[in-house]
Amino acid sequence: LEFRRVLFRSWPAWKERMDRLCEGITLMQKMWTSTKPFSFKGEYFSSEFLLGYTRPRTKMEIYFSAVGEKAAYRAGKYGDHFVTLSPGNSAERIRDVLVPRFREGQKAAGKKGGKIVVHVDYAFKTPAQIIKDSGHELSAFVENAVDIRTPIALEKAAKAITPERLSRFVHSCKNWDDVIKRLDEYVKAGASELILFSAPVKKEMDA
């Protein structure tokens, strides 16, 4: 399988990364279902001979993660289920913007159904307390983290995260009733599944 390398040059722009992902999904789905050898020539992947000798017995469903509306459309067109993040996306934005775009993508591909999965980050601490108790574990919340080329630089950037920025990505809850209240908002917005993730705290991770 020939592919156009991205190593040792600048990280590709969002459109190229998304195009690579969607082309790769198309190729994988064909390999999962084709019973005869085939050739594939795409913009990023190509081969004269491809065949999956061990194919799945049932359909391999794709959970497509998307934060913005353009990606949500691609999730509907190329994936089977839609996954997004909270509180990075509010319940209102998921209901009024992202899910409709996901459905538009499905319609363009002649598909229906699909799960709406919301990944919910929460903590029983304030953003300032989370930062105080954490270290480089907060690197996932660094702005433009994918453009940072070394782990050391990423850890340095993580230590500069402000409470204001962290509050955009983690629900700060007082108790479990508060968590349930937040979850209920996403269920009402159309979520069919919820994934709970507690914000990292160093002393808990070391335990």
Side-chain angles (χ1 to χ4, degrees):
L1 177 64
E2 178 191 355
F3 62 95
R4 317 296 184 261
R5 296 183 180 275
V6 297
L7 299 178
F8 310 116
R9 70 176 178 82
S10 60
W11 187 246
W14 179 89
K15 184 179 184 303
E16 180 179 336
R17 299 199 306 271
M18 183 59 68
D19 287 345
R20 284 177 178 272
L21 172 62
C22 295
E23 185 176 300
I25 289 174
T26 301
L27 173 56
M28 288 190 300
Q29 288 176 324
K30 191 166 184 178
M31 289 193 68
W32 289 337
T33 58
S34 181
T35 59
K36 296 181 179 180
F38 65 92
S39 62
F40 185 91
K41 187 168 182 61
E43 185 175 355
Y44 303 103
F45 306 96
S46 62
S47 177
E48 295 301 321
F49 183 96
L50 287 168
L51 177 64
Y53 289 93
T54 304
R55 293 182 300 278
R57 294 182 178 180
T58 59
K59 180 183 177 181
M60 298 287 286
E61 298 189 343
I62 294 176
Y63 287 75
F64 198 118
S65 179
V67 177
E69 56 182 288
K70 290 189 292 184
Y73 177 86
R74 299 280 194 112
K77 188 173 182 179
Y78 293 94
D80 298 295
H81 309 290
F82 171 59
V83 183
T84 194
L85 304 177
S86 156
N89 280 309
S90 66
E92 292 76 17
R93 176 172 166 76
I94 291 173
R95 180 193 64 212
D96 299 336
V97 179
L98 300 185
V99 171
R101 288 292 285 161
F102 172 67
R103 299 303 183 196
E104 288 175 21
Q106 284 189 310
K107 184 177 180 180
K111 296 185 291 187
K112 294 181 179 180
K115 299 175 183 177
I116 307 298
V117 183
V118 180
H119 184 286
V120 183
D121 287 273
Y122 75 96
F124 294 124
K125 292 177 182 258
T126 65
Q129 289 173 321
I130 296 172
I131 292 173
K132 181 180 178 181
D133 294 339
S134 302
H136 63 273
E137 296 86 2
L138 297 177
S139 58
F141 307 113
V142 171
E143 188 172 6
N144 298 322
V146 295
D147 296 322
I148 299 177
R149 307 303 295 178
T150 68
I152 293 176
L154 185 59
E155 288 185 15
K156 183 178 180 180
K159 293 178 180 178
I161 288 178
T162 64
E164 290 74 22
R165 177 167 179 78
L166 189 59
S167 67
R168 293 166 50 191
F169 300 97
V170 180
H171 288 288
S172 182
C173 300
K174 297 178 180 178
N175 49 47
W176 281 110
D177 287 338
D178 197 10
V179 174
I180 293 172
K181 181 179 178 181
R182 302 292 179 91
L183 298 181
D184 189 52
E185 294 175 359
Y186 290 98
V187 172
K188 291 178 179 178
S192 51
E193 291 185 10
L194 299 170
I195 300 173
L196 288 178
F197 179 80
S198 180
V201 178
K202 186 172 178 53
K203 66 179 182 180
E204 295 175 357
M205 297 180 72
D206 292 341

